[in-house]
């Protein structure tokens, strides 16, 4: 039986960070979450932190720029795995690449005491570098799932159909490469388990999408689930299927995302209705 180790998640209140933390806690890992409590935090981000309450979860309200706090966290918890989740920049917070460089410096110092077995990043705007570094850069497509804050196309589409308005900024024929959040999280868990066996993969990997559909199909499926008429009279243009030259992670971990768009939508819409009801009733 493998020993479960401490995982440090930077950006734990983000959509992906929240889901990864929940799953790792279920798997028996100790999870240390770094996230600030600035004014930019959305209500749903703060509620994610509330949901993460768990005996093995330790929340540190700080930014990476606070060297004193970060060194204390690393010395006290000695994480073996570090996951950096991308978050949109807000006033007073670091740029994604700035956060990445800061974390690399902390890891370099920490490794002199306790080795960090893996450093995993999500969707950083980095180019492939010459020479190997002990970093695994993961890239995703259009990830969707419960507890999103309407920042993804799928969430925007659900809100548009529910409110009876037209989805703006998209074409009916635009193809989206969707991945359900649980599949993305499963990929991360399997990667960590693989690393625990002694393998040390480095480099750039794509978590492949589980489904490919156009925006009109997305709106129609949402309308069917909500039992509402979706406004799908969007403009048309030639569709292009996005393809990545980055190698896929599934060949390494033996798992490929398989949740269909419709299956995932049913779960997201169920959550969306429950969450909307909760907000109307004033439950915080």
């Amino acid at each position: 039986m493998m020993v479960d180790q401490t995982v440090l998640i930077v950006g734990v209140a983000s959509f992906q960070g929240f889901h990864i933390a929940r799953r790792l806690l279920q798997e028996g890992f100790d999870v240390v979450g770094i996230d600030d409590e600035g004014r930019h935090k959305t209500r749903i981000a703060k509620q994610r932190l509330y949901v993460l309450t768990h005996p093995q979860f330790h929340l540190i309200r700080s930014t990476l720029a606070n060297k004193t706090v970060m060194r204390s966290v690393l010395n006290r918890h000695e994480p073996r795995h570090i996951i950096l989740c991308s978050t949109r920049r807000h006033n007073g917070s670091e740029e994604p690449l700035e956060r990445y460089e800061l974390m690399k410096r902390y890891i370099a110092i920490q490794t002199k005491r306790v080795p960090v077995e893996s450093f995993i990043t999500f969707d950083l705007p980095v180019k492939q570098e010459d020479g190997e570094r002990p970093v695994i850069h993961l890239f995703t497509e259009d990830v969707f799932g419960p507890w999103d804050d309407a920042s993804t196309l799928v969430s925007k589409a659900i809100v548009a159909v529910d409110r009876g308005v037209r989805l703006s900024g998209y074409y009916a024929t635009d193809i989206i490469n969707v991945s359900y959040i649980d599949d993305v999280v499963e990929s991360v868990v399997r990667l960590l388990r693989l690393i625990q066996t002694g393998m040390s993969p480095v480099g750039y990997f794509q978590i492949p999408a589980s489904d490919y559909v156009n925006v009109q199909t997305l709106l129609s499926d949402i309308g069917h689930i909500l039992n509402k008429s979706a406004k799908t009279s969007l403009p048309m243009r030639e569709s292009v299927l996005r393809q990545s030259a980055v190698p896929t992670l599934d060949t390494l971990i033996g798992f490929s995302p398989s949740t269909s768009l419709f299956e995932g939508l049913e779960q997201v819409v169920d959550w969306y209705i429950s969450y909307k009801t909760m907000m109307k009733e004033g439950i915080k």
Side-chain angles (χ1 to χ4, degrees):
M1 181 176 179
M2 287 176 288
V3 177
D4 290 314
Q5 301 161 335
T6 298
V7 180
L8 173 65
I9 300 179
V10 181
V12 73
S14 67
F15 173 56
Q16 289 183 340
F18 163 76
H19 281 282
I20 293 170
R22 288 185 81 184
R23 175 64 187 278
L24 291 180
L25 289 168
Q26 292 172 4
E27 293 287 326
F29 285 87
D30 284 324
V31 176
V32 178
I34 300 283
D35 223 298
D36 67 339
E37 188 70 351
R39 288 180 298 173
H40 67 269
K41 276 286 177 290
T42 61
R43 178 167 58 180
I44 196 169
K46 293 178 179 179
Q47 288 166 339
R48 291 187 193 121
L49 293 178
Y50 175 78
V51 172
L52 281 174
T53 301
H54 189 282
Q56 291 175 257
F57 177 64
H58 312 275
L59 174 62
I60 311 298
R61 301 182 188 275
S62 178
T63 65
L64 294 189
N66 192 324
K67 296 180 182 179
T68 302
V69 170
M70 287 303 303
R71 287 171 180 167
S72 174
V73 169
L74 292 170
N75 289 337
R76 178 182 177 186
H77 296 282
E78 298 182 344
R80 294 300 182 91
H81 309 278
I82 296 174
I83 302 175
L84 179 64
C85 295
S86 293
T87 56
R88 288 173 293 177
R89 187 189 181 196
H90 299 274
N91 292 335
S93 62
E94 306 96 347
E95 288 273 12
L97 288 179
E98 181 184 348
R99 296 164 76 241
Y100 169 56
E101 293 298 332
L102 281 170
M103 199 66 243
K104 281 201 301 184
R105 292 185 202 126
Y106 293 132
I107 290 173
I109 296 172
Q110 177 66 14
T111 300
K112 294 178 181 178
R113 297 179 60 256
V114 179
V116 174
E117 295 183 14
S118 67
F119 179 28
I120 300 170
T121 77
F122 261 101
D123 299 318
L124 277 182
V126 292
K127 296 181 180 179
Q128 296 197 26
E129 303 167 333
D130 294 329
E132 289 191 347
R133 296 174 181 267
V135 184
I136 305 169
H137 294 293
L138 299 181
F139 298 92
T140 59
E141 301 279 2
D142 297 293
V143 182
F144 72 107
W147 288 98
D148 188 19
D149 54 2
S151 62
T152 66
L153 169 56
V154 173
S155 294
K156 291 176 182 177
I158 291 173
V159 173
V161 174
D162 182 48
R163 295 178 179 175
V165 299
R166 183 171 284 104
L167 181 67
S168 60
Y170 298 93
Y171 290 82
T173 48
D174 283 350
I175 297 176
I176 56 173
N177 310 337
V178 292
S179 296
Y180 190 58
I181 186 64
D182 287 358
D183 286 346
V184 173
V185 172
E186 178 67 25
S187 298
V188 174
V189 171
R190 292 193 180 216
L191 177 59
L192 288 176
R193 293 301 190 190
L194 181 67
I195 293 168
Q196 285 186 316
T197 66
M199 289 192 64
S200 301
V202 296
Y204 301 74
F205 298 94
Q206 181 87 22
I207 297 180
S210 58
D211 210 346
Y212 304 84
V213 298
N214 60 39
V215 172
Q216 183 153 339
T217 299
L218 168 65
L219 292 169
S220 298
D221 285 351
I222 294 170
H224 177 76
I225 295 170
L226 284 171
N227 197 26
K228 292 187 176 184
S229 177
K231 294 183 181 297
T232 56
S233 56
L234 299 179
M236 311 281 280
R237 67 177 175 183
E238 185 178 352
S239 60
V240 177
L241 178 62
R242 301 192 308 272
Q243 293 183 320
S244 172
V246 178
T248 55
L249 186 65
D250 54 337
T251 56
L252 185 67
I253 61 175
F255 170 80
S256 183
S258 58
T259 304
S260 69
L261 173 67
F262 193 83
E263 181 184 352
L265 279 177
E266 288 185 310
Q267 299 181 60
V268 179
V269 170
D270 282 346
W271 170 84
Y272 169 77
I273 293 171
S274 299
Y275 183 80
K276 186 174 68 169
T277 301
M278 182 178 69
M279 289 297 98
K280 285 183 178 179
E281 292 174 352
I283 301 173
K284 300 298 184 289

